[in-house]
Amino acid sequence: MAEEEIVLKGTKSIKEVVGRDQFVSKLGIIMATLGSAVGLGNIWKFPYQTGSNGGAAFILLYIISVLLIGIPVMVSELALGRTARANAVDTLKKLSPNKIPWWLVGAIGILSSFIIMAYYTEVAGWVMAYIFKSMGGGLLSTDPGVTSAAFTSLITQPVASLIWQAVDILLVTVIIVFGVSKGIENATKRLIPILLVLLLAVAIRSVTLPGSSQGIAFLLKPDFSKITAATILTAMGLAFFKLSIGMGVMITYGSYFRKDQDIPGTALQVAGSDLVIALLAGVAIFPAVFAYGFKPDAGASLLFNTIPAVFASMPLGNLFMVVFFILTYIASIGAQISLMEAVVTYIEEQFKLRRLWGSIITAVGMALVGSTAALSNSTLANFKILGLVPFDFFDVLSSNYLLPIGGFCLCIFVGWVWGKKNYLAAVTNEGALSNAWFSQALFYIIKFIAPVLVLVVLLNGLGVFHF
Ligand code: PHE
């Protein structure tokens, strides 16, 4: 504990004392971890998947997935990281007792983070562009045909797409360069409260519109007829993406946790708050969508095509539209820094580089690979990898293959290799916390239940069978 006290007294930086930067305060840890979970997933994926899959019934499936996969895997990753205090590859290397190359699981995770960043930065770039477009009144049309034409024109301009993405990567890199406590922790501690206030403002605007009650009913009244095996798999996949698990991000963040942090408690708080923020986004979106007679199930285009038209329909709509895109961008920042951090720490520790250089190399790599995603709707529209444009290829490769593979191997490693004794020692803080039965329950889920569920998601993603 001495390390934390020294920092709090401000005499030396944590890096000087323990040779590695880490989060300083307990609240900061929750904010940073929550910052990773909250992202475009809350404002974009969660609402559109809820919209296309039967509203509240889907939310229920999602909650079950979070309990049976999300929280157990998150706790495991955080515990592994904190025990080894290293990047995702070295964590697995340090903790594996035999010659089996378990570090590959960490490597797959880091690769997933890199690949997700390739397209995530592009979507974040579009959101940034939308902030300025909406400020200039350029999206103020109630006709989804017009707003979707505006979106098409944005994504088909190669130079604009590249520039927005580059600006986004630059911003994220600047936060990363400042380090774990001064960069990530500081930024997320400030951004999450701002995000909440803005989201609440839009949600209140939305529910006070005449005719909004249908939207609330849509979110709260389950329609079980929409549930199919495919819906269940979508909910499980969303739990992975939402909670940033299966890709080394939580291992990396865990390696910065304080020794006295309650890991299962943190995971519960983060998953719960993340769900509240996703629901709040739903409340900000659906009542307004219904109030003006738009379709809730527009799919991925809900954010960029439907939402501007919805805002354009309401009084003070332009103001709320600007606020909405600002908050969406803010939400994306915490997720992006966590994805980038997983890669930067690895590069830094593997090649013994200074943080600045690790960050620059990662940023340039992301910009280069990401540029193929940025150009997927223009210059590279005919450039297909396994039949997909780069943007879709990165999405499918990471969500359908790498994340479930990483998640599955991780469950096996924790449940069957690292084992119960090590696991319990880590998550109970060597017995200092009184969470023994909860920790035991989590362990059995990780050992027996989660791997089976993740395997089903994986086999479905691999096309072994399709629902
Ligand atoms: N959880 C983030 C979101 O919902 C996305 C993310 C995925 C972040 C994986 C980090 C790692 O947008």
Side-chain angles (χ1 to χ4, degrees):
M1 223 65 54
E3 54 209 50
E4 280 111 21
E5 281 157 21
I6 289 169
V7 167
L8 295 178
K9 281 189 208 138
T11 47
K12 273 185 182 174
S13 79
I14 217 135
K15 198 158 182 190
E16 286 169 286
V17 181
V18 288
R20 208 164 178 271
D21 201 358
Q22 70 174 52
F23 296 132
V24 178
S25 72
K26 291 190 176 176
L27 180 72
I29 293 183
I30 300 212
M31 290 302 195
T33 314
L34 180 60
S36 170
V38 170
L40 295 170
N42 300 58
I43 321 280
W44 174 55
K45 260 195 184 186
F46 185 89
Y48 92 68
Q49 294 194 342
T50 303
S52 323
N53 292 300
F58 179 78
I59 296 177
L60 200 67
L61 286 179
Y62 173 74
I63 293 175
I64 297 173
S65 310
V66 166
L67 292 175
L68 288 184
I69 304 177
I71 291 175
V73 176
M74 188 195 264
V75 169
S76 300
E77 287 196 28
L78 293 172
L80 290 173
R82 188 176 64 181
T83 306
R85 294 249 181 252
N87 63 70
V89 166
D90 287 344
T91 291
L92 272 294
K93 246 187 215 164
K94 278 190 185 176
L95 301 182
S96 94
N98 50 34
K99 289 264 165 301
I100 298 174
W102 283 105
W103 61 269
L104 278 170
V105 181
I108 291 178
I110 291 169
L111 185 68
S112 318
S113 296
F114 188 82
I115 288 176
I116 291 179
M117 270 305 263
Y119 72 89
Y120 205 91
T121 48
E122 185 52 28
V123 182
W126 293 336
V127 174
M128 208 193 275
Y130 261 49
I131 296 176
F132 293 98
K133 270 183 189 274
S134 56
M135 276 180 175
L139 296 169
L140 210 55
S141 168
T142 54
D143 177 358
V146 174
T147 52
S148 88
F151 183 55
T152 309
S153 114
L154 170 69
I155 65 174
T156 50
Q157 284 174 30
V159 179
S161 299
L162 287 174
I163 290 179
W164 287 117
Q165 184 181 43
V167 173
D168 172 70
I169 293 179
L170 192 68
L171 213 135
V172 175
T173 308
V174 169
I175 301 176
I176 291 287
V177 168
F178 274 97
V180 176
S181 48
K182 295 213 177 73
I184 302 177
E185 187 174 349
N186 254 338
T188 45
K189 237 166 46 187
R190 290 180 171 75
L191 291 175
I192 298 260
I194 301 178
L195 166 67
L196 268 179
V197 171
L198 298 184
L199 194 53
L200 264 175
V202 181
I204 291 173
R205 166 72 284 191
S206 177
V207 291
T208 49
L209 291 167
S212 62
S213 57
Q214 250 186 312
I216 302 280
F218 174 76
L219 270 176
L220 298 183
K221 243 210 250 138
D223 172 4
F224 288 105
S225 71
K226 288 265 171 55
I227 294 190
T228 61
T231 331
I232 300 176
L233 292 179
T234 308
M236 294 204 273
L238 183 63
F240 258 86
F241 185 83
K242 274 303 316 104
L243 297 179
S244 314
I245 52 177
M247 64 199 86
V249 164
M250 286 299 163
I251 296 181
T252 308
Y253 270 23
S255 77
Y256 307 137
F257 268 40
R258 292 163 57 124
K259 275 190 217 143
D260 58 349
Q261 188 81 11
D262 172 356
I263 290 182
T266 304
L268 274 175
Q269 274 175 321
V270 166
S273 314
D274 177 65
L275 178 65
V276 169
I277 294 178
L279 288 174
L280 210 53
V283 172
I285 294 170
F286 291 119
V289 165
F290 278 93
Y292 294 108
F294 289 99
K295 283 206 167 76
D297 54 357
S301 65
L302 184 68
L303 179 60
F304 294 107
N305 297 346
T306 314
I307 284 179
V310 170
F311 280 112
S313 311
M314 66 175 74
L316 285 183
N318 208 15
L319 175 68
F320 281 99
M321 194 184 331
V322 174
V323 170
F324 183 82
F325 284 110
I326 291 179
L327 77 85
T328 305
Y329 189 72
I330 290 179
S332 81
I333 298 178
Q336 296 192 74
I337 41 188
S338 70
L339 286 163
M340 184 163 175
E341 178 63 24
V343 184
V344 170
T345 319
Y346 170 69
I347 305 249
E348 214 185 319
E349 293 178 351
Q350 174 71 28
F351 301 102
K352 312 254 177 316
L353 293 177
R354 291 182 46 195
R355 187 168 182 88
L356 178 66
W357 284 110
S359 310
I360 292 176
I361 292 171
T362 308
V364 171
M366 278 173 178
L368 285 177
V369 178
S371 67
T372 61
L375 299 177
S376 288
N377 296 297
S378 51
T379 323
L380 296 179
N382 293 320
F383 174 75
K384 302 266 168 74
I385 312 169
L386 302 176
L388 298 167
V389 289
F391 186 103
D392 296 338
F393 175 72
F394 296 143
D395 186 11
V396 170
L397 177 65
S398 54
S399 305
N400 294 10
Y401 300 85
L402 298 178
L403 295 192
I405 291 176
F408 175 74
C409 296
L410 209 103
C411 292
I412 300 299
F413 178 78
V414 171
W416 300 85
V417 181
W418 201 40
K420 189 167 164 189
K421 205 170 122 259
N422 289 324
Y423 177 88
L424 287 182
V427 302
T428 61
N429 295 358
E430 312 283 343
L433 301 173
S434 47
N435 58 4
W437 76 261
F438 182 53
S439 307
Q440 298 242 9
L442 283 176
F443 182 76
Y444 288 116
I445 295 178
I446 262 302
K447 186 163 182 174
F448 298 109
I449 302 177
V452 177
L453 295 178
V454 178
L455 194 64
V456 177
V457 177
L458 178 62
L459 294 178
N460 177 67
L462 291 175
V464 174
F465 53 80
H466 261 303
F467 293 115

